[in-house]
Short mmCIF file of all heavy atoms in Angstrom, two decimals:
data_model
loop_
_atom_site.label_atom_id
_atom_site.label_comp_id
_atom_site.label_asym_id
_atom_site.label_seq_id
_atom_site.Cartn_x
_atom_site.Cartn_y
_atom_site.Cartn_z
N VAL A 25 -4.49 -2.50 6.83
CA VAL A 25 -3.97 -3.30 7.94
C VAL A 25 -2.89 -4.24 7.42
O VAL A 25 -3.11 -4.99 6.47
CB VAL A 25 -5.11 -4.12 8.59
CG1 VAL A 25 -4.55 -5.03 9.67
CG2 VAL A 25 -6.16 -3.18 9.17
N ASP A 26 -1.70 -4.18 8.02
CA ASP A 26 -0.56 -4.97 7.55
C ASP A 26 -0.62 -6.38 8.12
O ASP A 26 -0.82 -6.57 9.31
CB ASP A 26 0.74 -4.29 8.00
CG ASP A 26 1.96 -4.78 7.24
OD1 ASP A 26 1.80 -5.75 6.47
OD2 ASP A 26 3.04 -4.21 7.43
N VAL A 27 -0.40 -7.39 7.25
CA VAL A 27 -0.46 -8.78 7.69
C VAL A 27 0.92 -9.38 7.89
O VAL A 27 1.05 -10.55 8.20
CB VAL A 27 -1.24 -9.65 6.68
CG1 VAL A 27 -2.68 -9.18 6.59
CG2 VAL A 27 -0.58 -9.63 5.31
N HIS A 28 1.97 -8.58 7.67
CA HIS A 28 3.33 -9.05 7.93
C HIS A 28 3.68 -8.86 9.40
O HIS A 28 3.17 -7.97 10.07
CB HIS A 28 4.33 -8.30 7.05
CG HIS A 28 4.13 -8.51 5.58
ND1 HIS A 28 4.48 -9.68 4.95
CD2 HIS A 28 3.61 -7.71 4.63
CE1 HIS A 28 4.19 -9.59 3.66
NE2 HIS A 28 3.65 -8.40 3.45
N ASP A 29 4.57 -9.70 9.90
CA ASP A 29 5.05 -9.58 11.27
C ASP A 29 6.58 -9.60 11.20
O ASP A 29 7.21 -10.64 11.25
CB ASP A 29 4.53 -10.76 12.10
CG ASP A 29 4.75 -10.54 13.60
OD1 ASP A 29 5.29 -9.48 13.96
OD2 ASP A 29 4.40 -11.43 14.39
N ALA A 46 5.55 -14.01 10.23
CA ALA A 46 4.14 -14.36 10.09
C ALA A 46 3.92 -15.28 8.89
O ALA A 46 2.98 -16.06 8.86
CB ALA A 46 3.29 -13.10 9.94
N ASN A 47 4.79 -15.18 7.89
CA ASN A 47 4.61 -15.96 6.67
C ASN A 47 5.79 -16.88 6.37
O ASN A 47 5.92 -17.38 5.26
CB ASN A 47 4.39 -15.02 5.47
CG ASN A 47 3.16 -14.17 5.64
OD1 ASN A 47 2.04 -14.65 5.54
ND2 ASN A 47 3.36 -12.89 5.92
N ILE A 289 2.15 -15.57 -0.61
CA ILE A 289 1.94 -15.57 0.82
C ILE A 289 0.45 -15.49 1.13
O ILE A 289 -0.24 -14.62 0.65
CB ILE A 289 2.66 -14.37 1.45
CG1 ILE A 289 4.15 -14.45 1.09
CG2 ILE A 289 2.48 -14.35 2.95
CD1 ILE A 289 4.90 -13.22 1.54
N LYS A 290 -0.02 -16.41 1.92
CA LYS A 290 -1.42 -16.39 2.32
C LYS A 290 -1.60 -15.38 3.45
O LYS A 290 -1.02 -15.52 4.53
CB LYS A 290 -1.85 -17.77 2.82
CG LYS A 290 -1.70 -18.86 1.77
CD LYS A 290 -2.68 -18.65 0.62
CE LYS A 290 -2.59 -19.77 -0.38
NZ LYS A 290 -3.52 -19.60 -1.49
N SER A 291 -2.37 -14.36 3.18
CA SER A 291 -2.55 -13.32 4.17
C SER A 291 -3.65 -13.70 5.15
O SER A 291 -4.47 -14.57 4.90
CB SER A 291 -2.93 -12.01 3.47
OG SER A 291 -1.91 -11.61 2.59
N ILE A 292 -3.64 -13.02 6.27
CA ILE A 292 -4.63 -13.26 7.31
C ILE A 292 -5.96 -12.66 6.87
O ILE A 292 -6.04 -11.51 6.48
CB ILE A 292 -4.17 -12.61 8.62
CG1 ILE A 292 -2.81 -13.21 9.04
CG2 ILE A 292 -5.20 -12.79 9.70
CD1 ILE A 292 -2.21 -12.50 10.21
N SER A 293 -7.02 -13.43 6.91
CA SER A 293 -8.34 -12.94 6.52
C SER A 293 -8.82 -11.92 7.53
O SER A 293 -8.57 -12.03 8.73
CB SER A 293 -9.33 -14.09 6.45
OG SER A 293 -8.94 -15.02 5.46
N ARG A 294 -9.53 -10.93 7.02
CA ARG A 294 -10.06 -9.91 7.93
C ARG A 294 -11.36 -10.37 8.53
O ARG A 294 -12.28 -10.75 7.83
CB ARG A 294 -10.27 -8.60 7.15
CG ARG A 294 -8.98 -8.08 6.54
CD ARG A 294 -9.19 -6.64 6.11
NE ARG A 294 -7.97 -6.15 5.53
CZ ARG A 294 -7.78 -6.06 4.22
NH1 ARG A 294 -8.72 -6.42 3.39
NH2 ARG A 294 -6.65 -5.60 3.74
N ASP A 295 -11.42 -10.36 9.83
CA ASP A 295 -12.63 -10.76 10.53
C ASP A 295 -13.26 -9.53 11.16
O ASP A 295 -12.74 -9.00 12.14
CB ASP A 295 -12.28 -11.80 11.60
CG ASP A 295 -13.52 -12.30 12.33
OD1 ASP A 295 -14.64 -11.84 12.01
OD2 ASP A 295 -13.36 -13.15 13.21
N VAL A 461 -4.57 -8.75 -0.93
CA VAL A 461 -4.78 -9.61 0.23
C VAL A 461 -4.02 -10.92 0.07
O VAL A 461 -3.46 -11.46 1.02
CB VAL A 461 -6.29 -9.90 0.43
CG1 VAL A 461 -6.52 -10.82 1.62
CG2 VAL A 461 -7.04 -8.59 0.63
N LYS A 468 2.46 -7.27 -4.46
CA LYS A 468 2.02 -6.52 -3.28
C LYS A 468 2.85 -5.26 -3.09
O LYS A 468 2.32 -4.19 -2.77
CB LYS A 468 2.13 -7.40 -2.03
CG LYS A 468 1.14 -8.54 -1.96
CD LYS A 468 1.26 -9.25 -0.62
CE LYS A 468 0.26 -10.39 -0.49
NZ LYS A 468 0.30 -11.02 0.84
N ARG A 544 -14.03 -6.68 -3.00
CA ARG A 544 -12.97 -7.69 -3.03
C ARG A 544 -13.09 -8.43 -4.36
O ARG A 544 -14.16 -8.93 -4.72
CB ARG A 544 -13.09 -8.67 -1.87
CG ARG A 544 -12.18 -9.89 -2.03
CD ARG A 544 -12.05 -10.70 -0.76
NE ARG A 544 -11.28 -9.96 0.24
CZ ARG A 544 -10.96 -10.45 1.45
NH1 ARG A 544 -11.39 -11.66 1.80
NH2 ARG A 544 -10.24 -9.73 2.29
#
Side-chain angles (χ1 to χ4, degrees):
V25 176
D26 196 353
V27 297
H28 297 286
D29 192 1
N47 298 288
I289 303 173
K290 300 293 183 180
S291 299
I292 301 173
S293 298
R294 300 195 181 101
D295 182 0
V461 179
K468 291 185 179 184
R544 169 167 290 183

